[in-house]
Amino acid sequence: MSPIDTSVAAQSGISSSQAWLHALELTAPISRNRHRILSTVIEEVAARMGDAPALLSDRETLTYGEVACRANRYARWALEQGLAKGDVVCLLMTNRPEYFAVWLGITSVGVVVSLLNTNLVGSSLAHSIRIVSPKRIIASAEFVNSLNVVLPQLELSPRIWIHGQAYPTFPRIDLDVESYSSESLSSIERRDTAIDDLALYIYTSGTTGLPKAAKVSHARAMQWSHWFAGMMDVQPSDRMYNCLPMYHSVGGVQAIGAMLVAGSSVVVRERFSASQFWSEVVRYDCTLFQYIGELCRYLLHTEVSSSEAQHRIRLACGNGLAAEIWDGFKDRFRIPEILEFYAATEGNVSLFNIRGKPGAIGHIPAYLTHRFSPLLILVDAETGEPSRNEQGLCIPCSSNQAGEALGKIVDSPASQGSQFEGYSSSEASEKKILRDVLEVGDAWFRTGDLMRKDEKGYYYFVDRIGDTFRRKGENVAASEVAEVIREFPGVKHANVYGVAVPGVDGRVGMATLVSDREMDLAGMRKHLESCLPPYARPVFLRISSAADLTGTFKYSKTEFIRQSFNPDSSGDALYFDNSDEFVPLDKDLYKRIQEGEFRL
């Protein structure tokens, strides 16, 4: 079976209607072929064009044939380890072509791979491992120290395999897998693995608390890959530049899967570099790239270079491109088309702005609104809970009215995009389901995102709800950060929230603290560095004499968010993390931050 019939659209571009129809055409057969999973598709492409490059990087390049062979070796490694269907292997590794081959192979025999966030340390990393109960952990060598720190915190003792360097206490997996056959797996070895089986755990912070492990079935991975192949009109001659983290659904599954099911290729960069971005896009002759909004803003702040005008990019695909920089970004870098979209790893709501409307996250053709339109409902601004009418049902928003986006949960194999597969925790899964929305007994997925829809049918992202804010492309759970801060000696209360800073996408973390002693700011900064990933660390501190609590003893955030880090708004002491230390935040420093002098 061919990976994709690319005759639907021409290389020169694709209309909005064609893109939707192409995506529908490519995803329709998924539910009818239960045992055709992503590894099967990659093998089909390898049989046709095995010597064609699939994954490229400065570290190594893998052809389609080499991806398939390496995946088969990892599959047989999993079988030799005695791992049963449904057992979990954690993967802690920086971006590289091998990353995709590891999970592709292991999942092909029914074992689940948990993609650990490489920024996590300490208790957050221990929690992420603990909640999926892995039998094995595969880690690249640079994470050995991080693992040694958290292993004593785990109740279980998964065996650790290291990739890329020898350690006396851990076996080296990249050498071991070479002893296994690279031939195609037999039907017995595949163990009847099907699209409704679980393939991956991908972590998301959700609306509150520590990271949650979202379930991703083989069907979902297939859906993402083929849907975006259709939406982007991917051709075998295309090449994607991908510098987003591969432990996320976009950088690790959607971007790569969409290209490989179409027989094209992906450049995998270990991490984003604004200074090297365009020179590498030109050097690798890329035609597409994957973005998040902050990446685009960083690129706009770079000095003009000759390479930014020499590329062959035809389309940029991503999310979070702000309206105020949309046209400037598109014009300066000569990008013909921008495909902005909205989606969540665990969610059943997805939106696509194919028409290029600046700032919009999606628009649904009239003939598809009955299948894809999210419901926007009114929520209480302070509590984040849905508003309900006299019948106890939710209240839909009117045009241009902000409300939480919901997706109706449909339990049908033919409606993969409408399913909610949940988390490793059934309790966490239930918290994301809202019932009795439009009628008694119905069930909807809560995105936790406020949106509005204008009179022309365009959707716009407004904000996160409650205790979560967006920072550097990640969801930051304020309650998790507050819990870490309260572990520091002397801290009695910690109220964490996100504040807006001019020129910065999303929100920047701020914490209001109450301490029973003089605050050791240097010690606090060191504590935050050891316990939290960079994007979750508060940039602003406010030291207050008393906690501002609601009548139900919850922290009040609305007024703090309004006052932000403006020294004129409060008599409390304010501090700013200037990348070296927390320094007093006065009017002059406030002005410099407002003017964009610091890269936050």
Side-chain angles (χ1 to χ4, degrees):
M1 184 180 291
S2 299
I4 282 184
D5 178 4
T6 55
S7 63
V8 173
Q11 176 69 29
S12 58
I14 187 167
S15 70
S16 173
S17 295
Q18 285 177 314
W20 280 95
L21 292 173
H22 195 21
L24 289 167
E25 178 188 34
L26 296 180
T27 53
I30 293 174
S31 62
R32 299 195 296 267
N33 297 276
R34 290 190 62 254
H35 294 97
R36 188 173 183 257
I37 59 178
L38 193 57
S39 58
T40 315
V41 178
I42 301 306
E43 280 203 315
E44 291 168 0
V45 181
R48 295 174 53 249
M49 43 194 300
D51 293 333
L55 300 169
L56 304 91
S57 75
D58 288 344
R59 182 193 297 267
E60 66 176 338
T61 292
L62 297 180
T63 65
Y64 275 93
E66 289 168 335
V67 170
C69 287
R70 201 164 294 189
N72 289 335
R73 287 192 167 105
Y74 277 104
R76 291 191 169 95
W77 170 86
L79 294 173
E80 181 66 23
Q81 291 293 302
L83 297 172
K85 284 188 68 175
D87 282 347
V88 177
V89 174
C90 283
L91 179 59
L92 183 62
M93 184 181 286
T94 53
N95 281 14
R96 62 192 71 186
E98 183 92 354
Y99 189 104
F100 180 75
V102 172
W103 73 251
L104 187 73
I106 294 174
T107 60
S108 70
V109 292
V111 178
V112 182
V113 178
S114 176
L115 308 183
L116 293 171
N117 185 327
T118 56
N119 289 300
L120 297 183
V121 292
S123 59
S124 294
L125 177 59
H127 168 83
S128 296
I129 296 171
R130 186 184 302 115
I131 61 176
V132 297
S133 303
K135 297 294 180 65
R136 302 288 186 273
I137 297 176
I138 298 173
S140 50
E142 60 266 50
F143 297 110
V144 169
N145 291 337
S146 297
L147 284 173
N148 280 330
V149 169
V150 304
L151 284 177
Q153 303 177 38
L154 303 176
E155 293 80 13
L156 63 163
S157 299
R159 189 179 184 189
I160 296 175
W161 289 73
I162 300 302
H163 186 285
Q165 187 174 327
Y167 278 86
T169 52
F170 303 124
R172 185 170 168 181
I173 192 168
D174 52 318
L175 299 183
D176 187 75
V177 295
E178 293 301 317
S179 64
Y180 297 101
S181 169
S182 64
E183 296 298 315
S184 295
L185 301 176
S186 67
S187 58
I188 294 175
E189 289 175 311
R190 295 183 190 277
R191 302 195 290 194
D192 202 37
T193 302
I195 59 172
D196 47 352
D197 289 325
L198 188 59
L200 300 168
Y201 282 120
I202 298 181
Y203 293 85
T204 174
S205 41
T207 52
T208 58
L210 288 161
K212 296 189 284 289
K215 295 179 178 180
V216 178
S217 66
H218 285 281
R220 202 167 182 82
M222 286 282 282
Q223 178 81 13
W224 290 345
S225 299
H226 289 83
W227 185 270
F228 277 89
M231 279 290 182
M232 296 189 295
D233 183 31
V234 180
Q235 306 290 316
S237 57
D238 278 318
R239 178 166 291 171
M240 167 78 79
Y241 185 80
N242 178 35
C243 55
L244 301 186
M246 294 178 73
Y247 56 77
H248 271 177
S249 51
V250 173
V253 184
Q254 174 244 301
I256 293 177
M259 303 305 289
L260 298 195
V261 298
S264 56
S265 56
V266 185
V267 174
V268 175
R269 198 182 201 280
E270 185 167 332
R271 60 176 60 88
F272 168 67
S273 168
S275 62
Q276 298 298 312
F277 186 91
W278 290 112
S279 62
E280 292 187 352
V281 165
V282 172
R283 175 160 63 92
Y284 281 105
D285 196 25
C286 296
T287 58
L288 306 95
F289 69 84
Q290 196 77 38
Y291 69 81
I292 58 172
E294 192 159 9
L295 178 154
C296 302
R297 199 178 290 273
Y298 283 154
L299 290 176
L300 273 175
H301 289 165
T302 59
E303 297 291 330
V304 175
S305 67
S306 58
S307 57
E308 69 184 53
Q310 297 171 354
H311 65 77
R312 290 200 311 121
I313 292 292
R314 67 170 180 85
L315 181 142
C317 176
N319 50 68
L321 182 55
E324 66 266 22
I325 67 168
W326 185 297
D327 287 333
F329 182 76
K330 189 173 187 290
D331 294 344
R332 173 179 165 179
F333 299 118
R334 301 187 305 108
I335 301 171
E337 292 183 81
I338 292 174
L339 172 56
E340 172 82 5
F341 71 91
Y342 167 89
T345 299
E346 76 278 37
N348 63 353
V349 175
S350 55
L351 293 163
F352 301 87
N353 175 9
I354 303 173
R355 298 182 175 185
K357 174 77 169 177
I361 60 174
H363 184 279
I364 301 169
Y367 60 88
L368 290 174
T369 53
H370 66 290
R371 288 185 57 179
F372 294 101
S373 291
L375 174 68
L376 306 187
I377 62 166
L378 294 180
V379 295
D380 185 282
E382 189 67 36
T383 66
E385 290 304 306
S387 301
R388 293 186 180 268
N389 59 23
E390 294 178 354
Q391 290 74 43
L393 302 177
C394 294
I395 304 171
C397 293
S398 56
S399 181
N400 281 310
Q401 192 172 30
E404 182 177 3
L406 309 179
K408 189 168 187 179
I409 298 174
V410 178
D411 189 14
S412 168
S415 300
Q416 179 60 39
S418 298
Q419 294 184 30
F420 171 48
E421 296 181 342
Y423 307 102
S424 60
S425 163
S426 57
E427 181 182 357
S429 301
E430 185 60 33
K431 287 180 179 179
K432 293 292 285 185
I433 299 175
L434 186 63
R435 304 182 190 278
D436 303 334
V437 175
L438 295 182
E439 59 185 18
V440 175
D442 63 2
W444 297 68
F445 171 77
R446 297 193 67 174
T447 65
D449 290 328
L450 290 176
M451 298 181 191
R452 66 177 178 87
K453 184 173 75 168
D454 68 15
E455 59 282 350
K456 295 183 178 180
Y458 286 97
Y459 290 83
Y460 300 85
F461 178 81
V462 176
D463 208 347
R464 291 287 294 169
I465 294 175
D467 273 353
T468 302
F469 57 92
R470 195 76 170 163
R471 170 77 168 143
K472 292 185 179 293
E474 303 275 1
N475 286 336
V476 178
S479 56
E480 177 189 346
V481 178
E483 183 177 338
V484 169
I485 293 175
R486 284 193 291 268
E487 293 172 355
F488 190 73
V491 175
K492 296 172 60 179
H493 297 279
N495 187 4
V496 176
Y497 43 93
V499 295
V501 177
V504 177
D505 287 314
R507 300 296 174 110
V508 176
M510 184 168 181
T512 295
L513 312 181
V514 177
S515 178
D516 62 7
R517 67 193 72 174
E518 183 176 352
M519 181 61 63
D520 176 8
L521 293 173
M524 171 61 79
R525 192 173 188 278
K526 186 176 181 180
H527 173 66
L528 295 174
E529 284 185 334
S530 66
C531 297
L532 294 171
Y535 59 81
R537 299 169 196 160
V539 174
F540 302 102
L541 294 183
R542 175 174 172 171
I543 311 300
S544 187
S545 58
D548 187 4
L549 301 176
T550 68
T552 55
F553 303 100
K554 295 180 180 179
Y555 290 112
S556 176
K557 297 179 186 284
T558 305
E559 185 62 17
F560 285 117
I561 293 172
R562 187 191 68 79
Q563 294 175 356
S564 189
F565 57 98
N566 186 345
D568 285 337
S569 297
S570 162
D572 293 338
L574 298 175
Y575 297 90
F576 169 64
D577 186 347
N578 66 359
S579 297
D580 293 316
E581 59 181 338
F582 280 112
V583 297
L585 201 166
D586 55 19
K587 292 181 182 180
D588 177 64
L589 181 54
Y590 174 77
K591 181 181 178 183
R592 292 164 60 196
I593 295 171
Q594 291 287 97
E595 292 174 347
E597 186 172 322
F598 297 88
R599 181 173 174 178
L600 301 182

